[in-house]
Amino acid sequence: MSLRAGEGLTSHGLATEQHSPRGPVVLATLASRPNAEAEDYAIGAALDAGTRLVIINAVMLPALPLTLYLVGVSGAIRPEDEDLAAVRASAERAASLGVPVEHLRVASRHPTAALSAVAKEKRAGLLVFGPDPERIGMRKFRSAARKIRKRADCLVLVLPWDEQLSAG
């Protein structure tokens, strides 16, 4: 199985896609490994619904125009700026359980807006927002969760749940 972000990771041979009238389950993260609780929930929801899992890792695209021009997006994003291996591991775990998986790495100047846009494009039935809050920070986590809940066209579950998310 070849897993390279940016090519639309699929679970070749590990799971056959079942056609469902429902949209896919989206597990969204911000340049971070998915929180274990969010990953488990998203995989379980995809299994229960008989639909595919789309894992979206949105990464902040730095303002480096010359680098982008000369070497492209992959040269502008440093490996320490994202948990790509951990996100790939999440995709592999889901695929090993028989869930059809698509892994997307989205680079944007506005990663939260990009997550919402891709979920709309994929016609998601459920969006599980679950980056590791320790990696991205609670302030950024809360802000992104609020924005995603406002922009989403589908059900949104934010994990790990923070009681302060609903305040304000």
Side-chain angles (χ1 to χ4, degrees), residues 5-26:
E7 296 179 3
L9 178 68
T10 58
S11 54
H12 299 288
L14 293 178
T16 57
E17 183 165 325
Q18 299 173 1
H19 297 285
S20 171
R22 292 172 230 123
V25 174
V26 171

Side-chain angles (χ1 to χ4, degrees), residues 15-159:
T16 57
E17 183 165 325
Q18 299 173 1
H19 297 285
S20 171
R22 292 172 230 123
V25 174
V26 171
L27 174 58
T29 185
L30 294 171
S32 161
R33 72 186 62 241
N35 173 277
E37 185 181 3
E39 179 184 322
D40 290 345
Y41 191 90
I43 292 171
L47 281 169
D48 288 346
T51 189
R52 66 192 164 103
L53 175 66
V54 178
I55 300 177
I56 305 171
N57 184 28
V59 182
M60 173 63 95
L61 184 62
L64 302 170
L66 186 58
T67 302
L68 288 170
Y69 178 76
L70 294 174
V71 293
V73 172
S74 61
I77 299 170
R78 301 174 309 178
E80 61 269 17
D81 289 340
E82 66 175 324
D83 273 344
L84 185 56
V87 178
R88 284 182 180 160
S90 295
E92 289 173 346
R93 276 190 292 280
S96 71
L97 294 171
V99 177
V101 180
E102 182 179 2
H103 173 209
L104 302 173
R105 178 180 178 228
V106 179
S108 173
R109 295 288 301 143
H110 305 283
T112 305
L115 285 175
S116 298
V118 173
K120 284 180 187 180
E121 180 183 309
K122 295 291 182 180
R123 296 182 181 156
L126 171 66
L127 189 154
V128 180
F129 180 66
D132 183 0
E134 291 180 14
R135 170 132 167 112
I136 69 169
M138 281 309 290
R139 178 176 278 172
K140 185 175 180 181
F141 177 83
R142 289 180 188 131
S143 174
R146 282 189 201 102
K147 289 176 186 175
I148 287 171
R149 287 192 326 205
K150 285 180 184 177
R151 293 181 180 147
D153 285 346
C154 62
L155 294 173
V156 176
L157 178 61
V158 176
L159 290 172

